[in-house]
Each structure stands twice: as structure tokens, then as C-alpha cells.
Amino acid sequence: MIFLLDYPSVHDIRAGSHITGFPATMLKLALRYAEMPTPPMTFLFSKQPSFSNPSTYFHPRKQVPYGEHHNPLHPLLGYLKSEFVADYERAREECKKHKFIVAMGDLALWCLTGDRMLDHRGTLLYWENIRVIPTHNPRALMKDQSLLPVMAMDLRKAHRESLKPRSVFPRRTIHIVESPADMERCIDACVASGSFAFDIETYANQITMICFAPSPRDTYVVPFWNGSQTFSFKEEVLIWGMIQILMLLPLRRIAQNAVFDLTFLDAYGLTLRYPVDDTMLKSHSNEIEWPKGLGFLGSIYCNEKSWKLMRVGKVKDRKKKDE
């Protein structure tokens, strides 16, 4: 394993070390929590940027000199200046010598996969058939020390995955409910499992979709509305009646931020059976300072990237803020 950092600070250059001072202390704490030894490290850029501004490594898109438009392109900062291309190539070649990489910071991840760190933090990615996990740069903890447990969990995941010869992603099957008969099969699967997770999607104060997962590998999706009505009136009444039966069965029910989902289901006239296990509250009781969103919890406990990044559409449509 190797840690790829973006660039050294003034103190790092003076000390001749990859990381010094407060960031080094925070990194040691994270490594201790992850129960892993300190791996080798390298920098993407060997020099500190002018005025400590990473954008000085790049030419803005509209100001790129002739002949440099073939240099690596950062989606936000522009084209990499030719004087730093050698550092870019050196860092990539050095990382290819290792079987696992922890990209610490946005520039470090961009160097390898071209992705943004905040979109993929904690997600297991692949670059040149090498596993990569992005996380925060230790210097970021100087501004926000609450990132320490997040970085520690990312390093623990990286250490755990690096000990495996390969990382295995679970196979998942999505069943689209297109008729009451499909909904009946969903209920049978939930009864056989003894538990199920559920989630709703809403738009304009109405439920557009509801999903049931009897296991981590199977999900049944009931799309009531997707730009147009999916079912006939009779079919939708039958399906809602079957959902009512499922919600009353003596099965374990699991949800994320269950209050939101249960409020809508109650408004639709469904009689609800309690208790409902809430993953958001469970995580909050374990780590009170963590963010509680499903995307964050998925990045901690799972290897897949946030499902919202897989959706096609506008960024504003990824966030459920219309209710």
C-alpha cells in the first residue's frame, strides 16, 4: 500500500518529511485507530503551489498557452502546466508499483482516476487494475477536526481491503414490480426472509416510488409514477392494499430516516406496525458526531459509491429537498 498526497507544506519541505506537525499527529491517531502500520508515501507535486493555492498548478481553460492543451485536464482547475507534467507522470508510475493506493485529497485522486474526492470519498475504486480508496488529506483536519474519525474509518477500510487478494462486490438484483402478481412475489420474499428494508421516493408531496429489500442482494421496486402513471387505477389500488398487508406483518422493518418515510405512508392512510429499526439513529447512537446521511453511511460501511452519483439528471435532483 502507498499513500498519495497532493503536495508538501513549507514545514514538510524544511523537515524533509512527507508530513509533519499537527497533520502528522492526526494521521498517527487515524492509523492507530485503523490498526495499520505507516505505509510509504509520495507526493503528486514535489513543490508547494504559489501562495498555497493549488490552482497555480494549472492554466485556466480559456487561458491555456498554445501546445499545452494536450496536458492532463482537471475538470475545475483547467490544464496542468507543462512544468508539472513530469511530477504527474512520476507519481502515477510510482503508484503502479503498489497493489493498493490511498489517495489523500482531491488532487491525488484526480491524478489517478480523474474523479472528485468529495464524490467518492471512502469508495473502493479501480485504476490500472489497482484498488484505490480516496480520503481527506491530513492537512484538511487543521480546519475541521471532525474529519478525523472519517479519515480513520477510511483507513481502516483500506487496511482491511488491502489484506484481501481481491475485493468482492456483492451481486444485487433489482426486481421491477409491474403487476400485483410481482408484488405478491415481493411479499413472499419478505416473509421468507423474516425482515425487509424499505424506502420511498417523493416528488411534489406525493410518493413516486417505494422499494422493499428482503435481503442485501434483492430489491423490489414499485414505480408508481415516472413522468407518467405506471399502473391502471385498479392495479394501483390492489398494490397499495398489498403494501398495507406487508407493513402489518410481524416482520422486522428497517429504514433510513424512518420518520420521513413513515410520515408519508401515514398520510396515505396506511396503518403502520412498530417498531421500525432506523439505521440513521443507530449510527448516530454509535458515532454522535458523524453525518447521518445515507450517502455518508454507505461510504463508511459499503464499498459501492453513493447511488445518487449513478443517477442521470441534474445535480439539484439528487437531493431530496422539495418536501
Side-chain angles (χ1 to χ4, degrees):
M1 180 190 292
I2 187 173
F3 284 0
L4 177 61
L5 298 97
D6 45 15
Y7 56 85
S9 68
V10 174
H11 304 289
D12 298 336
I13 296 174
R14 289 175 180 173
S17 175
H18 285 99
I19 185 168
T20 58
F22 181 79
T25 302
M26 293 293 101
L27 180 59
K28 288 180 181 179
L29 289 174
L31 290 171
R32 184 185 305 171
Y33 179 83
E35 299 179 345
M36 63 180 294
T38 304
M41 304 181 192
T42 188
F43 287 116
L44 167 56
F45 300 114
S46 57
K47 296 181 180 180
Q48 188 186 32
S50 301
F51 310 107
S52 298
N53 185 355
S55 66
T56 58
Y57 289 126
F58 299 86
H59 292 295
R61 289 196 183 198
K62 296 182 179 181
Q63 301 176 20
V64 57
Y66 178 77
E68 295 195 18
H69 59 279
H70 295 298
N71 291 353
L73 174 64
H74 189 286
L76 297 178
L77 302 178
Y79 291 92
L80 185 64
K81 294 180 179 179
S82 295
E83 61 188 286
F84 300 113
V85 171
D87 280 344
Y88 175 88
E89 297 295 343
R90 172 197 49 76
R92 289 166 64 94
E93 289 300 321
E94 189 168 351
C95 287
K96 289 179 181 179
K97 300 176 184 178
H98 298 266
K99 297 182 179 179
F100 204 101
I101 306 168
V102 176
M104 308 190 98
D106 189 74
L107 289 178
L109 182 61
W110 164 79
C111 171
L112 301 177
T113 67
D115 296 312
R116 296 183 67 240
M117 192 276 294
L118 292 180
D119 286 341
H120 299 277
R121 187 211 54 73
T123 302
L124 185 61
L125 306 174
Y126 277 87
W127 169 76
E128 300 285 344
N129 292 322
I130 302 172
R131 289 171 291 175
V132 180
I133 284 187
T135 189
H136 297 287
N137 190 295
R139 283 199 302 271
L141 274 63
M142 298 180 68
K143 297 181 179 179
D144 187 358
Q145 296 183 29
S146 66
L147 298 178
L148 175 60
V150 179
M151 184 174 71
M153 288 296 291
D154 291 340
L155 294 183
R156 171 176 282 189
K157 179 192 291 189
H159 182 54
R160 182 180 66 244
E161 293 296 326
S162 68
L163 298 177
K164 302 176 183 178
R166 63 188 182 93
S167 297
V168 179
F169 293 88
R171 291 181 176 270
R172 307 190 193 277
T173 303
I174 300 177
H175 307 270
I176 306 299
V177 174
E178 298 178 326
S179 66
D182 292 339
M183 188 64 210
E184 185 175 353
R185 283 188 282 271
C186 170
I187 295 176
D188 291 340
C190 293
V191 172
S193 173
S195 64
F196 65 90
F198 66 94
D199 183 43
I200 68 171
E201 294 295 330
T202 63
Y203 183 76
N205 285 315
Q206 61 180 335
I207 297 176
T208 59
M209 183 184 302
I210 185 168
C211 308
F212 301 96
S215 74
R217 292 176 173 80
D218 290 284
T219 301
Y220 290 82
V221 180
V222 187
F224 290 109
W225 186 82
N226 187 20
S228 60
Q229 191 171 358
T230 306
F231 305 106
S232 66
F233 177 79
K234 182 179 180 180
E235 287 178 329
E236 185 165 340
V237 170
L238 285 173
I239 290 175
W240 275 114
M242 299 171 79
I243 291 175
Q244 172 66 92
I245 294 174
L246 177 58
M247 298 302 291
L248 288 177
L249 291 176
L251 304 174
R252 183 187 181 195
R253 285 164 294 278
I254 306 166
Q256 164 74 9
N257 189 15
V259 172
F260 179 90
D261 301 72
L262 296 175
T263 299
F264 271 87
L265 293 175
D266 180 72
Y268 269 55
L270 269 68
T271 302
L272 306 172
R273 184 181 181 126
Y274 298 96
V276 175
D277 294 338
D278 194 326
T279 54
M280 183 183 77
L281 298 181
K282 176 64 175 178
S283 176
H284 183 65
S285 65
N286 290 336
E287 298 288 349
I288 193 171
E289 295 183 352
W290 278 5
K292 297 180 284 292
L294 186 58
F296 173 81
L297 298 183
S299 73
I300 293 294
Y301 297 112
C302 304
N303 283 335
E304 297 93 337
K305 65 182 179 181
S306 174
W307 77 102
K308 292 184 183 296
L309 298 175
M310 304 177 189
R311 296 175 59 183
V312 178
K314 298 179 180 179
V315 175
K316 67 180 181 66
D317 293 332
R318 297 179 184 171
K319 299 181 179 180
K320 191 185 297 182
K321 291 185 177 180
D322 60 320
E323 310 300 352

